[in-house]
Amino acid sequence: MQQILQSLKTGETKLVDVPAPAVNAHGLVVESRASVISPGTERMLVEFGRGSLLDKARQQPERVKEVLQKVRTDGLGSTLEAVQAKLGQPIPLGYCNAGVVRDVGTKVEGFRPGDRVVTNGPHSEVVRVPWTLAARIPDSVSFETAAFAPLAAIGLQGYRLARLSLGERVVVYGLGLIGLLTIQIARAGGCRVIGVDRVGERLELAERFGAEPLEAAPDTDLPAAVKRLTEGVGADAVLLTLATDSDEPVRLAAEMSRKRGRLVLVGVTGLGLRRGDFYEKELSLQVSCSYGPGRYDPDHEEGGQDYPLPYVRWTEGRNFSAALQLMADGRLDPGPLLSHRIPFAEAKRAYETLVKDGSALGVLLEYPERPGPGKQVERRVRIAHGGTSNAGGSQAGKGIVGFIGAGNFATRVLMPAFKRAGAELHTVVSSGGTSAAVAARKHGFQHASTDLADVFENPEIDTVVIATRHDTHAPFAARALRSGKHVFVEKPLAITAEGLRDVEAAMAEHPGLVLCVGFNRRFAPLTQRAKKALKGRSGPLVLNITVNAGKLPDDHWTKDPQVGGGRLVGEACHFVDLARHLVGHSIRNLMVASASDPEERRIEDISLLQLSFDDGSLATVQYLANGPKGFPKERVEAFWDGKALRIDNWRRMKGWGVEGASLGLLSSQDKGHSPLVTAFLEGVRGAGGGPIPTREFSEVGGWLVGALQ
């Protein structure tokens, strides 16, 4: 199948062959029939991509500050690599899709194959969406009409937040697609509407939908005009449905309003407010979030947890349904807004039209009908490379790699490391398919897939790399081992004792296979220098490892104990392993002390981990989410036999009493990813280079899981 992807680096918009997505427990797989290009959002993304690096920086000043901070802490080389990788990751376009359900997740109720639905899926021949972001299309509504429903839902949510009632007077400021749909919604609710815009054709459409048109010409006094049209009272509410950096629209909206009027920001404007405007009239300003309640809530959108209707009447999905019902009743008609119909195969022309034709409003992409529900769609695609593939690069037919997971870390760090080490990159799998296809083309895989069997059951693949969410690590590692394949699994190896035992049992069943965990810090060049300096020590080693991890949002998946295992199991494990490696002896004991808030709730990511070892050595890992960004992210201090070493952020080493240990500031970090991958592949190929210490990796996982469960 094909999907539209947008490069933020070059601005190129193109159709790409990707594998069809796999259904998940809370999702639907939908075969597209029509989708609408959102002219505001998608034009902005295309123009952003086509701008120079300087233009991009000017548009995102806060990002520039973050980049400069990263240069100071991580070095110029690492920062440039991260920026280029971020810009080089194409993004799917689109969020207004109508089609036919092909497959339904096991935990979805209320939908079945063959249902006609509208979703927020991207421009793609087949999409996967959460069931909470789908709504059934009434029989009387066509696919092309229904595809406007997500845009209408954005306007409908703004209307709801304005708390409008029959007979009230509302200004809709900005008459793009969302503004013109909002006018119809407000009219359907019995409101008197004033439509404000600069474009004559859009004002004519507003008038056609029953609004009083008001041109935002340079010489027009908009507040005075609104006051005149409202018998001197002012607007009960102003819905800002435009996109601009200027502060002027919100200031004008305040002047247009009556006392105690309501302003709702549906689009994007500057927010340089004048206190007097709001103080004297006691105005309220609210920012509307997309389609409505549930938007960006992972429990609702990814976890399938609906909000109970008696308490949250209008969720995003129910707003979709309400917009569709207005269409079925004839009170919401997107037809006059449709300016272009373009076949999906000519999508590139659609975006050229969007950028070059200022009159383009509703651009509809039409999809060819494909086999109906129940028929197979291709979940695996072969990638043409033109000479960039690593095929044939492995030794003696070994090190033929299948990747599971194509997220940011996998594509930025692991895949380049495996490619540099000479691995043959065979197949990459991701559940959605898009990220797998992008990674396959960039890094030289032969195939992209959404089917795990294409890795686990493929006899050509002898090595599996697992770079997925933490709760899948143990079951995927055990399955790969039992399939007779070597395994590289990103940390942590497991987030439960049961998962760890299963992996250990699989290893015992297949003792000839290599299992490696992504504990790269022990392979970092500065760690190796420190290890050399520690050789021959006579007394105990004392380590103090400080990790300035930074704060994550409370709803980040790594903090979910069922999915990410928490930040200590999922991230601090790196530093427990580093301590284990530098000491060179087994862990005797591990204790964890965590901070707490005023209500005595544990703050896991502000913790001290205290370790003792069989040789009498000690280590403390301070894992902190409350430090400043300018402080080094990682610092390692070692004390022994009257000597000391310090490593700062994997860029600088200083020694006291250790000859030749001090090392000046490096241009960039090296955390040991490439040496780790090289050592793993040498073990897979039996080429020497020392065994991967699987037992130590398992020991670290066991202590952490045991201490925290």
Side-chain angles (χ1 to χ4, degrees), residues 257-276:
S257 297
R258 66 165 170 85
K259 282 194 172 185
R260 295 203 166 190
R262 291 96 67 193
L263 277 61
V264 179
L265 180 55
V266 178
V268 180
T269 71
L271 288 175
L273 308 179
R274 294 183 300 208
R275 180 178 180 275

Side-chain angles (χ1 to χ4, degrees), residues 131-149:
W131 75 266
T132 50
L133 275 163
R136 281 190 299 277
I137 302 171
D139 292 341
S140 60
V141 178
S142 67
F143 284 118
E144 71 174 36
T145 297
F148 285 85

Side-chain angles (χ1 to χ4, degrees), residues 558-597:
T558 59
K559 300 178 82 169
D560 183 339
Q562 304 302 316
V563 179
R567 295 188 79 182
L568 296 185
V569 168
E571 175 66 21
C573 57
H574 263 312
F575 308 99
V576 174
D577 177 73
L578 176 62
R580 170 67 175 84
H581 174 65
L582 289 172
V583 171
H585 290 270
S586 294
I587 299 170
R588 178 182 296 169
N589 194 24
L590 169 61
M591 296 185 296
V592 178
S594 298
S596 59
D597 65 16

